[in-house]
Amino acid sequence: MQTTVFDQLGETVYHETLPNGLAVYLVPKEGFSKTYAVFTTRYGSIDSHFRLKNGEEINVPDGIAHFLEHKMFEKKELDVMHEFSKNGASCNAFTSFNRTAYLFSCTDKLDRNINLLLDYVQEPYFTEASVEKEKGIIGQEITMYDDNPDWKVYMNLLKAMYQKFPINIEIAGTIESISHITKDNLYQCYETFYHPANMVLLVVGSFQPETVMKWVRDNQSAKDFPPAPRIERIFPEEPAGVAKSRVEANLTVGLPKCLIGFKEKTNGLTGKDLLKRELTTKLVLDIAFGNSSALYQKWYDSGLITESFDFDYSGETDYGYSIIGGDTPDPDKLVTELQAGIRGLIQSGIHQQDFERAKRKKIGLFLRSLNSVEFIANQFTSYKFNGSELFSVVPTLESITREDVEARMKEHFVFEQMSVSIVRSASPQE
Amino acid sequence: MSDSVKDISFHTSVIDGINVHIMPTRKFKTTTIVTMIEQELSEENVTKTALLAMVMKRATARFPDAKQLREYLDFLYGAIFDVDVTKKGERQILHIYMEVPNEKYLSHENGLLEEAIRFVGDILCRPYVENQAFAEKYVSQEKETLRKRIESLIDDKMKYANQRVTAEMCKGEPYALLVQGRTEDLPGIDGKSLYEHYQQITSRSPIDIFVVGDVKESTVEKAVEKHIRLNRQDVHAMKPTPAKKQVDEERAVIEKLDVNQAKLNIGCRTQIGYADEEYPALLVYNGVLGGFPHSKLFVNVREKASLAYYAVSRLESHKGIMMIMSGIDVKNYDRAVEIIKEQLASMRQGNISEEELSQTKATLSNQFRELLDSARMMIDFAYNGVISGRKRRLEALLSQIDRIKVEDLKRVAEHVVIDTIYLLRDKKGEA
């Protein structure tokens, strides 16, 4: 077992890669009551076109990774959720664009819960009947998202930015696409992507690392796995430009919603470079649009934005984008003002004191998020998948210079790479 | 070595008519300071208090400009700061939330804790005032923001349906009010009347300040004495929220809106509040019925009938209301209501297995122990004790839960009555 100590943060990470390829990370948090474990596979909604073990190329229906996540909870003899309940644990799972995570939190019976987590994710059980039944439940989940204007404006923006890359499809698919899912598809996907070598187990909370590592080793060595398949994902070539510069939809809302996205032109970064790009871009966004910025105050004071105004940056190896916006009475004006604001900032450059302040703020906020085992659990693996390290955030932030931020600002804010998504009510009465 | 927190226990002292509750712990990398101002939820004041929260966070005497104020928070290492209102039973709580990093994780820093308490004092005691009134520019901007906030309730259909069923069910009771207030009250409020309201609240309403972090009690108390001074006059106590209300008949309300998924919300009265002896049994009752994925609603509405993605029940512990919520296809309305009613009936018959009971106790206990990992949730737990007039110890509550039997749940079930069935549906079919 390897140990990595992060002195400044007072955190230690224990790590081991098991003979079957499973990467295990343990982050003990002394004094905490709960333990949170996440078992993640590097398989998400974008992995819809790939090569099977036998070399055959396959296109699976949209929404299958999410459907598979739902079906993992059903077993022949037992109901997984009920088993966790017996141990007092609450369990959950989620599917994102590039991963599927199964998790639980508990304050008791950690050994049983860890074994249960490993066992149920490693024992698929699908029948035609249960696959059919799940279509009703997921159908309601999809319908629920269809009524959610915040989700709609966000997904529409991704569809506007990306022409071919499958981040432009709904994670849960559509009622039509999931109707084609069969138990055989589910087994094909499972066998391709759920090998231990494609997965990470992370445990954060109150425990002795040696003890937990032994439980995991024992659990895994008792099971047989075939050699790890070589995973070959097939992604379409994404053109540099956006699919559409503007997209609108109607849904009942109090005020129109407007999101503005900047698509990353250059992808393929990993590890430290990717982490640095992410943090630098987040600093740029905070300096430009954070609630102590001149633009934010001006827009808020004039009523152009509300407290819902927000921004974020998502930077992965295969794709990256920033999203800025929120509720506004006048989406077109917000877009014009934002473009003018960015031009102004690029021209005037960034003041040293604004840069220092943003950096200080980010460091404080990061320290705060380490209070949350959920935050660590959810972020740690996604950084690992990108070859970087959650606990390197502070030193990386400290290494960023004002010049880095200015260069990133010019590189990232390119209006040809920009799309706008708007959701408003069909008529003013609604 | 870090200490292990086993229970939620604050040390309380009274400073200048304010209750100061402190809980030293080395568990967190930040210090959390939450100030709660308790008020009766009332038509007369609900909008004013909601607006006051928004105006208070814009500026203070020391930071008269909103940008300066925000820059100062960044300087305090991105201190988390907010002023907002929440509803707890028939109380409107105005709270000031503040969280700053503990300086021991920052090289060359000290005095952050005192700066944070001073800042809370700025917000609470030294607002930005012009001629005995809040500045008109902030008041008018925030009136507009509040109006938009109230109007945007409709964006989230789940929240919207929940507020609508509450308003229908509690017509004539203060609990029906939306905590953000009513848009029609806004034109009648100006900087002067809002400032009078501020003075009224800060001098007479009960105020509690909670501090959680790696702090020394004496340091916090000294800083509070120095920076938080209000002219406190006869603070008035409030009578507890009534949890009992006779239901004469079950009502049904259907509302149409442009939606794809129908929202079915069933409001029940439980006649049991946070301070009552039967409260632990109510927690278990709600858990067996609809609190968890092993609960009757989830199993029967979702897993067996495949009608919904979510089917849950939630308690409002001070008011004694239990809300059952589900998202369904409108054509399944009758069936969903029938299945839900069957579950309520089966609770009354005591049709509860040993396994359902033990799973619920185990998950409830887990949920309560998880509070210990969040300063914010521990403060909320302690504050429930303050406003209900019955302080509960976490360990005691857990052992009460552990002793609950099926008979206790049957007794609770006898009090649980459906008050209002609310359906938010599309505009297509017949009414």
Side-chain angles (χ1 to χ4, degrees), chain B residues 180-223:
Chain B
Q180 279 91 16
R182 308 178 298 186
T183 48
E184 63 266 36
D185 296 336
L186 287 170
I189 307 174
D190 60 21
K192 193 150 192 65
S193 64
L194 195 64
Y195 187 62
E196 281 162 15
H197 185 59
Y198 160 80
Q199 287 176 311
Q200 182 75 10
I201 284 188
T202 47
S203 64
R204 298 198 56 207
S205 295
I207 300 180
D208 292 86
I209 299 178
F210 292 85
V211 181
V212 177
D214 192 358
V215 296
K216 269 173 79 177
E217 284 173 31
S218 58
T219 314
V220 173
E221 284 168 359
K222 259 186 229 145

Side-chain angles (χ1 to χ4, degrees), chain A residues 318-331:
Chain A
D318 298 315
Y319 56 86
Y321 51 82
S322 56
I323 293 187
I324 307 152
D327 297 355
T328 171
D330 192 343

Side-chain angles (χ1 to χ4, degrees), chain A residues 11 85 105 107 292 307 360, chain B residues 29 74-75 149 366 370:
Chain A
E11 305 284 356
S85 288
S105 74
T107 55
S292 53
E307 48 192 359
R360 192 176 165 110
Chain B
K29 292 187 165 69
D74 291 356
F75 173 76
R149 209 196 234 201
N366 183 59
E370 286 194 0

